[in-house]
């Protein structure tokens, strides 16, 4: 089973509809992220959460909201979808701070398989 | 100037060739450097990471960092069609810090 699971994998919706994308992880990581990926624009960070009580906006949060229901669950909502939100959406997790060798990165991100969203 | 720049490609090379993928960056404080591989319709997966300068080798893959030039490279030896993917560089200042991703280079290995 995948360590980072995103549902649904594909979604087609209409302009103005509310939609929720869900992410769950079994890696035991504290930090979770939502990105969108568009051709030519790369990965852009929408929101991130360092723990259940910590939610932060990324570079493109307008039109999106998130909920961190538990350490393992982080959902992304589009309150009123618009066509330019058509994209590939990824959830990711990372371990977060810790002790030990400074040469060992703690921010390596592990991605889900993505949700392909089309807004008509 | 963008923090991380990466040629989008596509880069097409024949099977068996040595592939060189590169990124440049502007922030001299970056210390952690990563390469992710993303197959079509999949999420990015970590391929390699290095701390500070120098080379790191893993099988057919070598990651190289030149901090004086603010330039990182990923070399793939004996390239295979299964290496066809998009390769994203990524970097951060501290080991807990936000990662900055390049936009990715699409690579095609021709049989």
């Amino acid at each position: 089973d995948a360590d980072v699971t995103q549902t649904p994998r594909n979604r087609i919706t209409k302009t103005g509809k509310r939609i929720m994308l869900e992410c769950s992880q079994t890696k035991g990581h504290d930090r979770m992220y939502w990105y969108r990926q568009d051709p030519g624009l790369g990965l852009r960070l929408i929101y991130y959460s360092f723990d259940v009580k910590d939610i932060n906006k990324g570079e493109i949060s307008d039109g999106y909201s998130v909920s961190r229901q538990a350490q393992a669950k982080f959902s992304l909502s589009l309150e009123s979808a618009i066509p330019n939100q058509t994209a590939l959406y990824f959830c990711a997790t990372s371990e977060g701070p810790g002790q030990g060798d400074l040469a060992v990165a703690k921010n390596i991100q592990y991605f889900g398989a993505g949700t392909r969203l089309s807004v008509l | 100037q963008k923090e991380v720049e990466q040629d989008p490609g596509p880069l097409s090379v024949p099977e068996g060739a040595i592939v060189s993928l590169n990124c440049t960056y502007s922030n001299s404080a970056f210390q952690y450097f990563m390469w992710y591989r993303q197959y079509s319709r999949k999420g990015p997966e970590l391929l390699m990471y290095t701390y500070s300068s120098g080379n790191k080798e893993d099988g057919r893959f070598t990651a190289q960092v030149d901090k004086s030039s603010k330039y990182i490279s990923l070399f793939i030896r004996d390239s295979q069609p299964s290496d066809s993917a998009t390769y994203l560089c990524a970097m951060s200042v501290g080991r807990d810090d936000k990662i900055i991703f390049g936009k990715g280079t699409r690579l095609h290995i021709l049989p």
Side-chain angles (χ1 to χ4, degrees):
Chain A
D1 288 340
D3 293 321
V4 183
T5 302
Q6 291 185 235
T7 55
R9 291 295 316 278
N10 294 280
R11 180 73 184 265
I12 300 173
T13 192
K14 294 183 178 179
T15 298
K17 293 291 188 182
R18 183 178 188 277
I19 181 169
M20 180 182 290
L21 308 183
E22 299 191 356
C23 178
S24 62
Q25 52 113 346
T26 58
K27 297 189 76 67
H29 288 168
D30 287 327
R31 298 183 175 186
M32 298 186 75
Y33 310 80
W34 275 105
Y35 292 89
R36 65 177 282 176
Q37 188 177 45
D38 300 271
L41 297 178
L43 286 166
R44 291 185 290 168
L45 184 62
I46 305 171
Y47 271 95
Y48 61 103
S49 169
F50 282 179
D51 65 39
V52 175
K53 296 181 181 178
D54 177 78
I55 302 288
N56 304 280
K57 292 182 178 181
E59 57 186 294
I60 55 161
S61 58
D62 286 350
Y64 301 94
S65 63
V66 291
S67 173
R68 184 83 185 265
Q69 300 95 325
Q71 188 209 33
K73 295 184 183 297
F74 192 37
S75 59
L76 176 72
S77 293
L78 287 67
E79 296 301 325
S80 179
I82 56 177
N84 78 357
Q85 291 177 314
T86 293
L88 193 52
Y89 289 83
F90 288 105
C91 173
T93 73
S94 68
E95 185 176 352
Q99 305 298 317
D101 187 350
L102 283 177
V104 177
K106 294 290 187 180
N107 57 356
I108 293 169
Q109 293 186 15
Y110 298 86
F111 288 80
T115 294
R116 187 169 296 276
L117 176 66
S118 296
V119 183
L120 305 178
Chain B
Q1 182 183 10
K2 295 191 190 313
E3 271 196 293
V4 178
E5 305 234 31
Q6 187 175 10
D7 188 325
L11 179 63
S12 297
V13 299
E15 183 176 355
I18 295 175
V19 176
S20 172
L21 303 168
N22 312 294
C23 285
T24 58
Y25 62 93
S26 59
N27 187 350
S28 59
F30 284 140
Q31 293 194 89
Y32 296 85
F33 303 93
M34 302 152 205
W35 285 95
Y36 282 78
R37 178 176 60 195
Q38 184 178 14
Y39 290 116
S40 181
R41 300 185 182 279
K42 301 283 188 182
E45 58 177 346
L46 181 72
L47 193 58
M48 298 181 72
Y49 84 87
T50 54
Y51 169 63
S52 195
S53 286
N55 291 359
K56 186 173 184 178
E57 189 173 320
D58 184 1
R60 296 185 295 112
F61 298 88
T62 299
Q64 193 172 80
V65 175
D66 181 348
K67 293 187 75 179
S68 62
S69 301
K70 297 181 194 167
Y71 189 88
I72 68 170
S73 300
L74 177 71
F75 297 96
I76 307 174
R77 291 185 300 281
D78 187 24
S79 56
Q80 305 293 312
S82 59
D83 295 326
S84 297
T86 296
Y87 290 80
L88 297 92
C89 65
M91 48 199 79
S92 68
V93 172
R95 67 177 191 157
D96 299 338
D97 289 341
K98 175 184 172 183
I99 292 178
I100 309 298
F101 286 91
K103 293 182 179 180
T105 299
R106 281 195 297 141
L107 174 66
H108 298 297
I109 306 298
L110 306 170

